[in-house]
Amino acid sequence: MILAAGLGLRMRPLTLDLPKAMVEVKGRRLIDRALDRLLSAGIKKVVVNLHHKGNTLKRHLAERNDVEILFSDESEQLLETGGGVAKALPLLGPDPFFVVNSDVIWLDARRDSLHELAEAWDDKAMDALLLMHPTVTAVGYDGVGDFEMAPDGRLTRREERHVAPFLFTGIQLLHPRLFDGAPEGPFSLNRLYDQAAESGRLYGYRHEGIWMDVGTPAGLKAAEAALDDL
């Protein structure tokens, strides 16, 4: 699933008349870059959720004939990350599935990160496996990180007033059981991460390569500069 229903408030004015997922980075729209990466990993069916300028995004994606795209329509109510995935569960099936933010770009150092996540998945131990990136090397990111990661990959939240060594990349592998007992309507995936962490079932996997936050005009500029340097 690609999360593409956000309002794009941090990316204004570029998103006043355009969904954030259709912002161009070096001549390629964010949604297409995400689809390209999923396709390269062998994924053939993708769910995309829609809200802000959803029809514009839907028309654009109609031009893609290399992947089956299903839409989860949130035009009547924006459901946030958790509610959006929960609504799409009937389209995603009973097995673990990838969820990718539309406003990130990732380049792998050696192997495909999605393949590595799939290989690292332990169904007996995990409800969620998040791709983590070192906070200090992220492009276009000015935050203080998200998680501490134990040697076995188990994640715990950053302590208040501390800088965490890892940030969550917006790329993850989730099991549908993570949503058991989830609330109706809008809610953040962070709520479910915290529940999984409390039960010791939230894990991370370190990303080796380059990761870019393209959620703001400054992030877009930084991403384009980084791509120029490659």
Side-chain angles (χ1 to χ4, degrees), residues 164-219:
F166 293 100
L167 61 85
F168 170 47
T169 62
I171 301 156
Q172 58 198 309
L173 187 55
L174 306 179
H175 195 284
R177 63 173 167 258
L178 179 69
F179 295 83
D180 291 348
E184 298 289 333
F187 68 93
S188 171
L189 276 172
N190 282 307
R191 178 171 180 164
L192 302 187
Y193 299 155
D194 289 341
Q195 291 176 1
E198 288 175 5
S199 59
R201 299 186 62 82
L202 180 70
Y203 282 77
Y205 188 91
R206 181 177 178 137
H207 177 241
E208 302 290 349
I210 300 172
W211 179 85
M212 312 176 197
D213 179 357
V214 199
T216 65

Side-chain angles (χ1 to χ4, degrees), residues 32-166:
D32 290 312
R33 287 181 175 272
L35 284 168
D36 293 345
R37 292 305 310 272
L38 294 173
L39 276 167
S40 70
I43 294 169
K44 300 178 181 178
K45 180 185 292 186
V46 179
V47 177
V48 177
N49 63 344
L50 304 171
H51 181 74
H52 175 61
K53 303 296 180 181
N55 287 333
T56 301
L57 182 57
K58 197 171 185 178
R59 285 194 298 271
H60 172 72
L61 292 177
E63 301 173 5
R64 301 267 321 212
N65 57 14
D66 52 352
V67 59
E68 180 182 359
I69 300 176
L70 306 176
F71 294 101
S72 182
D73 191 349
E74 299 178 27
S75 57
E76 293 186 1
Q77 183 184 29
L78 182 61
L79 295 172
E80 301 183 36
T81 54
V85 178
K87 177 182 173 69
L89 285 177
L91 301 174
L92 293 164
D95 300 318
F97 54 88
F98 292 105
V99 180
V100 175
N101 290 2
S102 61
D103 59 355
V104 301
I105 296 174
W106 72 102
L107 305 174
D108 299 327
R110 296 187 300 272
R111 300 182 59 224
D112 188 293
S113 291
L114 300 181
H115 289 173
E116 292 189 315
L117 283 176
E119 291 172 8
W121 178 263
D122 182 347
D123 203 66
K124 294 181 179 179
M126 302 174 181
D127 289 336
L129 179 60
L130 313 186
L131 188 66
M132 310 304 296
H133 189 87
T135 303
V136 296
T137 62
V139 175
Y141 176 82
D142 59 2
V144 292
D146 300 306
F147 291 98
E148 302 276 348
M149 186 162 59
D152 67 353
R154 195 169 299 185
L155 296 177
T156 53
R157 283 284 184 188
R158 173 183 63 85
E159 293 184 16
E160 190 175 354
R161 295 188 295 275
H162 284 69
V163 176
F166 293 100

